[in-house]
């Protein structure tokens, strides 16, 4: 039976988006091929909620390796553990989402196990127990299809935000198996000195988890200052429509849409944006869309998860105030808002 593994990265008790994509694709392939899907989770003191969250994506089993030496990511112990597990269990494919960790792990594992590696996959086409993998070519607007030349494990990393992350629901008979690390597992030769967090408002919109976007309805540059304030308080990055960019209220780098950037954040807050198709095509895969518009018939409401019919100049100050209050309360209770 085909066995497809997905590597799970987590932070603050949550499965990270790249791993959601890898898990979902593994489950889609597994179900299509009537094979087995395995989620591989490494760490120390892994919270129950993470395992529940992993289960919701629908793998048939979760392999769990909990060891003090894995309490934070280190290339050497993580690569050693995964190499051993892949050698022992011999899955057909090992999928990883697009992340700094997968860029570190995948080539190392491929070299150690002498297995094929395809990076930045945009489509997986199963053929006779192997996968033909589509990825971008080494020039813009072109793709290539890569086929493995030998049998055995295929390691595949996914292109960011191409594959859907969807909770397929827990599989019948989901099993969770606790594993032991290799006998002689050693810690890392390096240790993390300090974690320096990026300032969300300075992130490129394609990397942002929260985008606060404005259109012509923001009226002017001062209107966009409200969006900067909202972005700061919700930890987001400001995006814009082509209209707003043409008005010079925002730079071209922040433009979302077919001629701008394709984005897929967890939350997209559309303010004073009508929802023209050229804009919507660039953001409709956002997980949650909140729209604020004075026109109840604005097309943006057709794709919004939540809509507020109102003037941005009235609604946004209230939202900013409420988020500030929530943050202050959470801070006072020692909770990260
Ligand atoms: C070839 C081509 C490519 C394009 N590519 C892109 C692209 O990549 N990205 C892109 O964004 N556009 C693109 N466009 C332009 C696109 O067609 C739309 O014109 C544009 O997206 C509209 O921007 P908007 O929503 O800001 O403005 P509008 O369509 O003018 O909408 C403004 C909205 O604000 C609302 N509003 C007004 N005042 C307020 C208020 N005080 N409070 C709340 N709401 C208010 C109005 O009801 C309205 O719905 C392209 C067009 C073409 C022809």
């Amino acid at each position: 039976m085909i066995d497809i593994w997905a590597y799970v990265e987590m932070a603050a008790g949550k499965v990270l988006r790249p791993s959601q994509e890898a898990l979902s694709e593994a489950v889609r392939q597994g179900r299509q091929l009537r094979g087995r899907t395995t989620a591989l989770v490494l760490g120390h003191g892994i919270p129950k909620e993470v395992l529940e969250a992993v289960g919701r994506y629908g793998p048939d089993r979760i392999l769990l390796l909990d060891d003090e030496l894995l309490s934070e990511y280190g290339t050497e112990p993580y690569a050693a553990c995964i190499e051993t597990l892949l050698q022992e269990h011999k899955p057909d494919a090992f999928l990883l989402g697009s992340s700094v960790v997968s860029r570190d792990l995948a080539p190392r594992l491929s070299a150690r196990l002498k297995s094929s590696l395809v990076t930045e996959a945009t489509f997986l086409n199963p053929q006779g127990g192997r996968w033909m993998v589509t990825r971008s070519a080494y020039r813009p607007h072109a793709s290539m299809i890569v086929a493995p030349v030998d049998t055995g494990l295929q390691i595949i990393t996914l292109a960011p935000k191409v594959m859907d992350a969807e909770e397929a629901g827990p599989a019948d008979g989901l099993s969770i198996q606790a594993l032991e690390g290799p006998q002689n597992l050693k810690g890392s030769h390096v240790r993390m000195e300090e974690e320096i967090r990026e300032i969300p408002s300075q992130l490129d919109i394609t990397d942002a988890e929260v985008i606060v976007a404005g259109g012509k309805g923001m009226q002017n540059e001062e209107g966009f200052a409200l969006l900067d304030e909202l972005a700061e308080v919700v930890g987001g990055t400001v995006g814009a429509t082509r209209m707003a960019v043409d008005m010079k209220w925002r730079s071209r780098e922040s433009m979302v849409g077919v001629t701008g950037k394709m984005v897929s954040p967890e939350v997209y807050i559309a303010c004073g944006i009508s929802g023209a198709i050229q804009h919507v095509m660039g953001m409709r895969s956002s997980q949650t869309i909140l729209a604020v518009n004075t026109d109840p018939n604005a097309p943006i409401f057709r794709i919004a998860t939540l809509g507020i019919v109102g003037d941005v100049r009235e609604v946004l100050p209230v939202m900013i105030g409420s988020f500030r209050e929530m943050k202050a309360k959470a801070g006072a209770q020692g909770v990260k808002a």
Side-chain angles (χ1 to χ4, degrees):
M1 181 170 53
I2 293 270
D3 190 12
I4 307 163
W5 285 28
Y7 178 60
V8 178
E9 283 180 62
M10 65 216 152
K14 280 173 65 183
V15 177
L16 295 181
R17 172 71 190 239
S19 296
Q20 295 174 11
E21 293 168 10
L23 253 176
S24 303
E25 183 59 20
V27 168
R28 276 190 292 271
Q29 294 287 335
R31 292 191 180 176
Q32 188 185 338
L33 299 169
R34 296 178 193 279
R36 177 173 62 182
T37 318
T38 302
L40 179 62
V41 186
L42 270 65
H44 183 49
I46 297 156
K48 201 169 77 190
E49 307 87 73
V50 168
L51 299 182
E52 284 166 1
V54 172
R56 286 197 292 275
Y57 286 89
D60 300 297
R61 65 173 181 168
I62 301 174
L63 295 182
L64 181 65
L65 210 166
D66 189 308
D67 192 300
E68 211 179 335
L69 290 173
L70 303 173
S71 48
E72 65 187 38
Y73 177 76
T75 306
E76 295 141 294
Y78 270 67
C81 287
I82 299 174
E83 180 191 359
T84 309
L85 292 174
L86 293 174
Q87 261 169 346
E88 273 173 21
H89 295 258
K90 303 201 182 331
D92 298 279
F94 184 45
L95 307 192
L96 303 96
S98 171
S99 72
V100 171
V101 165
S102 72
R103 283 191 281 280
D104 188 41
L105 272 179
R108 193 172 297 258
L109 290 168
S110 157
R112 288 188 185 186
L113 296 164
K114 299 198 176 9
S115 58
S116 75
L117 167 65
V118 183
T119 58
E120 301 279 310
T122 54
F123 185 70
L124 307 188
N125 181 13
Q127 285 194 7
R130 318 286 304 139
W131 282 270
M132 307 284 274
V133 183
T134 307
R135 72 186 303 280
S136 10
Y138 302 111
R139 61 197 180 94
H141 313 301
S143 297
M144 57 168 98
I145 295 172
V146 186
V149 288
D150 48 14
T151 56
L153 172 68
Q154 268 182 282
I155 299 177
I156 300 167
T157 70
L158 306 184
K161 295 180 178 171
V162 174
M163 313 265 183
D164 285 340
E166 56 190 354
E167 294 185 0
D172 292 337
L174 164 68
S175 70
I176 301 180
Q177 293 173 25
L179 304 172
E180 300 271 314
Q183 288 289 318
N184 53 353
L185 183 63
K186 294 191 184 69
S188 214
H189 281 91
V190 290
R191 69 165 192 277
M192 182 164 62
E193 281 286 301
E194 192 186 350
E195 191 179 23
I196 303 157
R197 291 195 166 262
E198 281 179 288
I199 302 167
S201 57
Q202 292 173 5
L203 280 180
D204 185 285
I205 50 169
T206 47
D207 294 328
E209 286 181 7
V210 179
I211 295 178
V212 178
K216 200 174 166 203
M218 295 308 299
Q219 326 274 335
N220 48 35
E221 247 174 292
E222 289 79 65
F224 262 84
L226 272 178
L227 296 184
D228 284 325
E229 227 177 312
L230 180 60
E232 188 245 299
V233 74
V234 298
T237 309
V238 176
T241 63
R242 179 157 152 186
M243 279 283 187
V245 170
D246 287 349
M247 300 279 190
K248 309 240 181 301
W249 299 339
R250 224 61 207 187
S251 69
R252 219 187 147 76
E253 278 75 60
S254 58
M255 188 166 100
V256 176
V258 278
T259 43
K261 291 180 177 167
M262 308 297 264
V263 298
S264 187
E266 285 184 23
V267 181
Y268 192 90
I269 308 179
C271 305
I273 293 177
S274 59
I277 185 66
Q278 295 89 350
H279 182 79
V280 166
M281 280 173 72
M283 47 66 77
R284 65 181 162 196
S285 61
S286 306
Q287 282 179 29
T288 301
I289 299 170
L290 168 64
V292 186
N293 199 305
T294 42
D295 176 5
N297 298 316
I300 192 76
F301 287 131
R302 288 191 215 131
I303 56 152
T305 323
L306 203 69
I308 300 175
V309 178
D311 190 321
V312 284
R313 288 163 301 186
E314 289 166 17
V315 176
L316 292 185
V318 176
M319 279 172 76
I320 293 165
S322 309
F323 279 121
R324 282 230 164 93
E325 233 171 77
M326 274 164 58
K327 258 183 122 170
K329 269 195 201 147
Q333 291 166 1
V335 181
K336 199 170 163 279

